[in-house]
Amino acid sequence: MAAAHARMGSATLTLVDRHEAQRASLARYFQASGFTVRQLASLEPSNEEGAVETTDVLLIALEQPLLPELNLLSSIKSKTTIGCIALTTRPAQQDRIAALDAGADMAFTKTIDRLELLAAVRALMRRLPLAPAARHHVHPPQSSSPVTLHHPSLDGMPTLETPAIPKMVGQHWSLNFASCTLISPAGSQSTALTSVEFDLLAILMASPLQTLSKAEILAVLGAPPEESSPSSVSERFHRVESALSRLRKKVQSAFGLALPVRAVFGEGLVFTAQARMD
């Protein structure tokens, strides 16, 4: 048991998801939970070997069409003992069954609660033999310091270099994964968040000063691909706006400050202050 806990502390997770914003948000969650996280937009034969050699657990989001990705997953599991958890974008049971048949140790939909997903990764780690990454120890980032992620920008996502969006320099807001709370810039106050509020802030604060589209935000909050038509996006985003309105009131009441989230007409939302994830 002690050996298992030691391995967990140095575990490396490779997160594969073509949706950069979702990948970044989930990566920060696992980094705050003590994992070293590698991010890939896709897993191809060209980068498969390098990813597997330095990984304890592979967490892969399976997109449509499934067959090419299932074939690659099957190839990886035939050559290695690393753990593999598949996340399917559709709620269809047959997708999860196909992932398990291809060699995944576990399979869930992408809407799985993060605490449950974390528990699944830890449970899988306890069952695995010594994996390759355990012999290449990399210290995980300390949660007391902000983590900087380097990844390509989202397609079509504008970078805010315009005075139309005020940048609240000096206000350093923090999101604490362990306690699921938002911490004021002064660091002396915090307020508890619901799961929806937490996920919404996590995606916005992972890319501060960048506008995230309505579709990207909904995808992180669990909207399946078939519900991404313009009319569906508009209808579902109204619920996000309602949740954001309640969150603004909560933050104003708790901190006496306005929540630094601005709606960009016709586009989406932007977090206009400096942010850190603890």
Side-chain angles (χ1 to χ4, degrees):
M1 183 64 70
H5 283 294
R7 282 179 49 210
M8 213 106 46
S10 61
T12 297
L13 180 81
T14 293
L15 180 56
V16 183
D17 192 331
R18 70 180 64 172
H19 298 286
E20 186 270 350
Q22 298 176 49
R23 191 176 70 243
S25 177
L26 193 57
R28 286 186 183 272
Y29 180 78
F30 276 99
Q31 285 172 324
S33 300
F35 288 82
T36 296
V37 180
R38 300 178 66 247
Q39 296 185 60
L40 294 174
S42 64
L43 199 57
E44 308 290 344
S46 59
N47 64 9
E48 170 194 334
E49 184 176 349
V52 169
E53 284 181 351
T54 57
T55 297
D56 291 295
V57 174
L58 177 68
L59 185 58
I60 181 169
L62 299 177
E63 305 283 347
Q64 300 296 321
L66 279 179
L67 188 57
E69 298 193 344
L70 291 176
N71 287 337
L72 187 57
L73 176 58
S74 179
S75 173
I76 291 172
K77 290 297 291 184
S78 69
K79 296 180 289 188
T80 180
T81 59
I82 67 168
C84 179
I85 296 178
L87 300 178
T88 61
T89 56
R90 300 192 310 175
Q93 182 186 57
Q94 58 264 35
D95 288 359
R96 300 192 299 278
I97 293 174
L100 292 169
D101 286 342
D105 298 286
M106 300 178 181
F108 308 98
T109 60
K110 287 187 75 173
T111 56
I112 183 176
D113 181 85
R114 289 184 175 182
L115 283 176
E116 184 178 352
L117 182 58
L118 175 61
V121 171
R122 286 175 169 164
L124 183 57
M125 285 292 301
R126 289 193 294 268
R127 292 182 358 216
L128 292 174
L130 189 63
R135 294 193 294 269
H136 300 276
H137 177 70
V138 179
H139 291 283
Q142 298 298 314
S143 60
S144 59
S145 302
V147 178
T148 302
L149 300 177
H150 301 282
H151 36 44
S153 60
L154 289 168
D155 293 338
M157 179 186 291
T159 301
L160 300 181
E161 299 295 346
T162 167
I165 307 288
K167 300 180 181 181
M168 299 183 182
V169 178
Q171 290 199 47
H172 214 130
W173 296 70
S174 299
L175 192 64
N176 188 282
F177 284 88
S179 60
C180 199
T181 57
L182 178 67
I183 302 171
S184 68
S188 57
Q189 298 169 296
S190 65
T191 186
L193 302 171
T194 66
S195 59
V196 172
E197 292 168 347
F198 182 87
D199 287 344
L200 177 58
L201 283 178
I203 182 59
L204 293 174
M205 292 173 70
S207 302
L209 308 181
Q210 291 186 346
T211 300
L212 297 186
S213 71
K214 296 177 181 180
E216 285 290 344
I217 292 170
L218 287 174
V220 172
L221 296 179
E226 56 264 32
E227 295 186 15
S228 295
S229 64
S231 60
S232 176
V233 167
S234 178
E235 179 182 346
R236 288 175 61 84
F237 200 73
H238 178 68
R239 282 174 268 177
V240 174
E241 291 172 326
S242 297
L244 179 59
S245 177
R246 293 190 294 270
L247 179 58
R248 290 185 192 280
K249 293 176 182 177
K250 176 187 288 187
V251 170
Q252 183 68 47
S253 175
F255 303 156
L257 297 172
L259 182 70
V261 174
R262 177 171 175 175
V264 180
F265 181 74
E267 295 185 33
L269 299 173
V270 57
F271 193 85
T272 61
Q274 299 179 56
R276 62 181 289 162
M277 318 286 256
D278 295 326

